[in-house]
Amino acid sequence: MGAAMLSNPHHGSTKASRMKINGNEIRPGNVIQHNTELWVAVKLQHVKPGKGGAFAQVELKNLVNGSKLNERFRSADKVERVRLEQTDYQFLYESDGMLAFMDTTSYEQIELQAEFVGERAAFLQDGMMVVVESHEGKPIGVRLPDQVTLEITETEPVVKGQTAASSNKPAICNNGVRVMVPPFLAVGDNIIVDTNEVTYLKRAE
């Protein structure tokens, strides 16, 4: 099953386009044109140094040859983001390093290497809706929801008298991801995690 069908237009697809964004607006999975080449943002960290302005430290992967690059982008930097052909897919399962997705309109299935998603593959859940991004019909990235709900499976016990102002503690979630959480949270609690920054946002209602 080829990936050419990704460029077939239907209501769940959008065509490629380009737009300028600020350097601090780059998110994992975004494709940018940098030094005349196309790169996908694999990881990023927002850094706020004591002196000077904040910046995003971004690990980029070249879409053509797979080479890696680490770049700093400040909020004042203008970056050309390439919005690729986008198609809605539902995540089905992972097998031997391959991720299976189904087009919810045509019911056709595709398989992508887990490295398309990178470390964020841990956030994939059965039935989760994602956006597969393609360039000239070839899938090159997967966009996950910005937030997911996870259950804490391991963390230090709650200590009496500690408040939310106390320092955060490490917790392991049911997908194996490690995040820092407030001290009042315990095993079994559900939390909302940012899939871009891999950080705790709030307790799930």
Side-chain angles (χ1 to χ4, degrees):
M1 212 165 351
M5 52 121 178
L6 287 176
S7 56
N8 294 344
H10 60 66
H11 71 270
S13 296
T14 61
K15 288 295 184 184
S17 63
R18 293 168 186 266
M19 62 184 289
K20 294 278 190 186
I21 62 171
N22 295 329
N24 63 342
E25 294 176 323
I26 298 172
R27 296 287 179 266
N30 285 174
V31 173
I32 65 170
Q33 181 146 13
H34 182 61
N35 297 338
T36 71
E37 295 185 288
L38 289 181
W39 303 79
V40 61
V42 180
K43 287 187 208 169
L44 70 83
Q45 182 181 11
H46 288 289
V47 181
K48 294 178 181 173
K51 294 178 180 178
F55 60 87
Q57 183 76 41
V58 185
E59 181 182 313
L60 299 169
K61 181 180 177 183
N62 190 295
L63 289 178
V64 177
N65 59 28
S67 63
K68 296 281 184 74
L69 184 67
N70 272 292
E71 289 281 13
R72 288 184 177 187
F73 294 98
R74 298 191 179 277
S75 57
D77 293 335
K78 288 294 180 187
V79 180
E80 186 160 352
R81 180 181 170 197
V82 181
R83 289 186 66 91
L84 303 164
E85 301 152 27
Q86 298 180 333
T87 309
D88 296 325
Y89 275 81
Q90 187 174 32
F91 174 63
L92 299 178
Y93 57 85
E94 178 178 6
S95 177
D96 296 328
M98 300 297 290
L99 306 172
F101 299 91
M102 181 179 71
D103 184 319
T104 53
T105 303
S106 67
Y107 300 108
E108 290 193 67
Q109 293 183 23
I110 61 168
E111 286 191 337
L112 299 177
Q113 293 179 348
E115 68 181 37
F116 274 112
V117 187
E119 295 176 346
R120 295 178 305 135
F123 290 114
L124 286 168
Q125 299 169 356
D126 290 348
M128 175 182 280
M129 294 303 300
V130 301
V131 175
V132 174
E133 297 188 306
S134 313
H135 182 61
E136 297 177 351
K138 178 185 176 186
I140 56 174
V142 178
R143 251 184 49 214
L144 275 61
D146 290 333
Q147 301 174 7
V148 295
T149 300
L150 301 172
E151 181 185 344
I152 295 176
T153 55
E154 289 180 48
T155 191
E156 299 163 16
V158 177
V159 178
K160 245 186 172 178
Q162 274 192 322
T163 66
S166 302
S167 59
N168 287 353
K169 62 183 181 179
I172 305 294
C173 299
N174 57 332
N175 64 346
V177 169
R178 180 180 182 274
V179 292
M180 300 300 290
V181 301
F184 59 82
L185 291 172
V187 170
D189 285 342
N190 289 324
I191 59 173
I192 295 175
V193 174
D194 182 317
T195 61
N196 296 309
E197 302 272 351
V198 193
T199 52
Y200 164 85
L201 292 175
K202 61 182 180 179
R203 190 174 188 164
E205 297 297 329

